[in-house]
Amino acid sequence: MKKLLISFSLIVFLSSLCTAITRNTSNSNENRKIEKNAYYKELQRAKNCYCEGDFDGAEKYLNKIFEVSIDNEKANEMRNKILLLKEKESYYKKTLVNDLVIELRRAVKEGNCYEGFLFIKRIQDLSPNEPIEAFKTRLENEKELVLYAIEDTGDKNLFIDSLDFFVKEKFKKSSDYIYKLYQKYPKFVDYVGLNRCYVLQETTSKRVKKFYDDAVKCFKATKLGEARNLAELAYSLQPNDIRIRVLLDQINMEIL
């Protein structure tokens, strides 16, 4: 009888152990499935940011993966691409800032407040710590000289508004004000022609944005040939646009 009880207890124990092992295996498989799905979601979010040129956003999602899986192959591959692209982006910015500073010097030398203040804004957007205060001071002095030469208060306001719209790159709006000033002050004739050139750029920018947005959509859909064609069209119209240059680099990296 005692042997029977021991045998029965052993059977019950082994049965319980098998059940626990099966349950643990099942839970472990379920956890791995949940973990895999979590990785996939974070990777998809990172990819969306990556394709849109939001590298900081992509890195935020990648870091969530690295917290639990530092050796994740796809996450590491994307991180390496981002590091390379950030270096390229930094180089493009530095090159463009240098070019803008050269243009700023020219504008200051010519006493051209419109382009001068526009270049200052563009430089500060790219490199806030760029030492351009001396140029800004000279342009402010030039602005005061123009205001001093305009006697009518309404015309002074026209000049200030035209300058404000120009710097904000609303060239179509600024053109109306500049033309009104030209009708009374012949010295504004040069700015009428200048502004027309920038109005054309403003119109072109809308086409460029469409090409860029469509290129990003194709890039996300892995239609790399179409994406590159659209990005190249955008680049041909605005070769100084850093976003377009980086997108072309991204597409070429995937094609290669």
Side-chain angles (χ1 to χ4, degrees), residues 193-207:
L194 174 73
N195 199 82
R196 284 174 182 164
C197 293
Y198 279 95
V199 168
L200 288 174
Q201 288 184 26
E202 186 176 10
T203 304
T204 300
S205 293
K206 293 179 181 178
R207 293 175 61 202

Side-chain angles (χ1 to χ4, degrees), residues 2-130:
K2 188 174 180 181
K3 289 182 178 179
L4 286 173
L5 287 173
I6 292 172
S7 297
F8 178 75
S9 299
L10 184 60
I11 291 170
V12 171
F13 171 75
L14 291 173
S15 177
S16 299
L17 182 61
C18 288
T19 301
I21 291 171
T22 301
R23 187 182 297 115
N24 287 338
T25 302
S26 177
N27 289 340
S28 179
N29 290 335
E30 186 64 26
N31 288 337
R32 278 197 292 270
K33 185 177 179 181
I34 293 171
E35 190 177 80
K36 186 176 180 181
N37 288 337
Y39 286 164
Y40 178 77
K41 287 180 181 178
E42 296 303 322
L43 272 173
Q44 281 301 111
R45 289 167 180 154
K47 183 181 176 182
N48 285 335
C49 290
Y50 172 77
C51 291
E52 292 170 359
D54 179 11
F55 299 139
D56 290 337
E59 286 181 320
K60 181 183 73 173
Y61 292 116
L62 292 177
N63 287 336
K64 289 183 179 180
I65 297 173
F66 293 138
E67 286 176 3
V68 290
S69 178
I70 192 65
D71 296 323
N72 187 282
E73 185 177 347
K74 289 185 177 180
N76 273 295
E77 183 182 345
M78 189 181 296
R79 181 179 63 178
N80 290 336
K81 288 178 181 177
I82 288 171
L83 290 173
L84 180 59
L85 288 165
K86 277 190 167 184
E87 285 184 14
K88 286 177 173 286
E89 186 179 47
S90 177
Y91 172 76
Y92 294 149
K93 282 184 179 181
K94 185 177 179 180
T95 302
L96 181 54
V97 167
N98 289 339
D99 291 343
L100 285 169
V101 169
I102 291 171
E103 290 298 302
L104 175 58
R105 287 197 185 100
R106 173 189 58 76
V108 170
K109 185 177 180 180
E110 294 173 355
N112 183 340
C113 292
Y114 288 98
E115 284 192 308
F117 283 115
L118 174 64
F119 295 145
I120 282 177
K121 178 182 177 296
R122 288 178 174 177
I123 290 168
Q124 289 179 330
D125 287 344
L126 293 167
S127 179
N129 297 321
E130 194 70 22

Side-chain angles (χ1 to χ4, degrees), residues 218-239:
C218 289
F219 186 44
K220 282 183 175 181
T222 326
K223 298 177 181 178
L224 301 180
E226 291 180 49
R228 182 160 69 178
N229 289 338
L230 288 163
E232 285 177 345
L233 280 171
Y235 177 77
S236 69
L237 294 171
Q238 284 190 349

